[in-house]
Every structure is written in structure tokens, then in C-alpha cells.
Amino acid sequence: MEKKDRAFSMVDMELKKAGILIVEDDKSVSQFLQRALKRFGYNNLQAVDNAEDALQIIGSGKIALALVDLRMPGKGGLWLLKRLSQMPVDTSVVVVSASHEFEDAIAALNRGAERYIEKPVRTDELKHTVENVLEKRKLVIENRIIKKKLETAVKWPEDDETA
């Protein structure tokens, strides 16, 4: 069996210590999410209660996943998603909201959220969602690595206008 590529091993290590940001104005929900994520083995956690602070933290580039409340005092989750789409950051977003309106879910997904979870949050759904989103992130990063290796290993012929 071939030895696993060092770059892929590094991706695995990085995702195991992935930074997860909880953006939730309800302290009890924030604490519940933090406790659940710690039980699942995620220890690099941060929590803020507003979208503006979240934007600053995500802008640092050290957050793999943000769990974002849709409605908060001041600027909410949709505002944050819009701002993130304008920034060169690579953070996955899961919206966690008490809104049971179909339109809210569609708006969040259209603005770049990976998933939408309704409150009250079930721990099994949270675990499954976080694992799936981080696994997808891992595959995207590995795909970038493979493309970069292909670009350096294979010299593609220039576009031939006569072909």
C-alpha cells in the first residue's frame, strides 16, 4: 500500500484541530453548542454574540467552520454571509436558527451557507452536520492540492488556434 501523501496527512491534522466559531446571541444556546462540540472532540472553539465580531475573527483565516444564528440584535447571519462572500476567506458556514420559515433557509443557502439547522438543535444532527461539512472541506482542500500537483507535473499544450 502506498504511503499517504504528506500534504494529505497535514490536511487531516489541520481539520482535527479546526477552529470552530459559534456566532449566537443566546448565551444558553451558545453554551449548549460549545459543550456538544467538545463532547464530539472539537476543542478549538470560540464564541461571539454578534456578526461584526464574527467577521473580524473569520477574517483572521483560522476558522474552518462557523455556526451562525440567523437573527441577532444588530447585524444578523444573512449580513455576515454576504460579507463573507466578498472576502477571500475559506470558512464553511452552518446557519443555526429558530426560524422555521422556508424562505429563511433558502436565503441562507443562496448566500453561501453549507447547511441550515433549526433550533432546538438536536445533538445527533449537529454532530452529523459538523462532520459532513468538515469532510467536504477536507475533500475540497485535497482537490486543490491534487490540481496544483498536476499543474506542476504536467505541461499542458498552449491553446492552439488552428485546432
Side-chain angles (χ1 to χ4, degrees):
M1 184 171 189
E2 260 183 66
K3 194 164 92 175
K4 190 171 183 182
D5 190 304
R6 183 172 182 243
F8 294 144
S9 295
M10 289 176 63
V11 171
D12 285 337
M13 286 175 21
E14 286 301 312
L15 285 176
K16 284 188 177 136
K17 59 181 183 177
I20 298 177
L21 177 64
I22 298 165
V23 187
E24 172 62 63
D25 62 310
D26 183 329
K27 204 174 259 305
S28 64
V29 174
S30 179
Q31 290 171 344
F32 165 79
L33 293 171
Q34 289 177 66
R35 282 191 308 272
L37 290 167
K38 283 181 181 178
R39 275 196 316 268
F40 305 151
Y42 301 102
N43 294 308
N44 187 4
L45 305 174
Q46 294 183 59
V48 295
D49 62 3
N50 66 80
E52 291 159 322
D53 288 348
L55 189 63
Q56 279 190 327
I57 293 169
I58 293 170
S60 74
K62 297 177 182 172
I63 300 297
L65 172 64
L67 300 173
V68 178
D69 188 7
L70 191 64
R71 293 198 172 99
M72 296 176 278
K75 299 185 173 34
L78 291 178
W79 177 88
L80 180 59
L81 283 165
K82 183 177 180 183
R83 293 296 176 268
L84 291 176
S85 72
Q86 300 166 346
M87 295 173 61
V89 294
D90 195 19
T91 299
S92 299
V93 176
V94 172
V95 170
V96 181
S97 181
S99 172
H100 299 288
E101 298 295 323
F102 181 72
E103 293 80 16
D104 288 338
I106 296 300
L109 295 170
N110 283 340
R111 290 199 183 179
E114 294 276 334
R115 300 280 173 84
Y116 186 95
I117 300 175
E118 290 183 347
K119 294 177 188 173
V121 178
R122 294 186 341 263
T123 54
D124 60 329
E125 181 182 19
L126 178 65
K127 183 176 194 270
H128 179 74
T129 299
V130 169
E131 287 173 351
N132 285 341
V133 169
L134 290 177
E135 179 64 22
K136 179 183 176 188
R137 179 182 172 81
K138 175 185 166 190
L139 294 173
V140 167
I141 293 169
E142 287 176 347
N143 189 24
R144 285 185 198 146
I145 292 168
I146 291 168
K147 282 182 178 180
K148 192 172 264 186
K149 286 182 177 196
L150 279 174
E151 287 171 2
T152 58
V154 178
K155 302 255 189 240
W156 297 103
E158 296 295 319
D159 290 341
D160 187 0
E161 292 182 20
T162 60

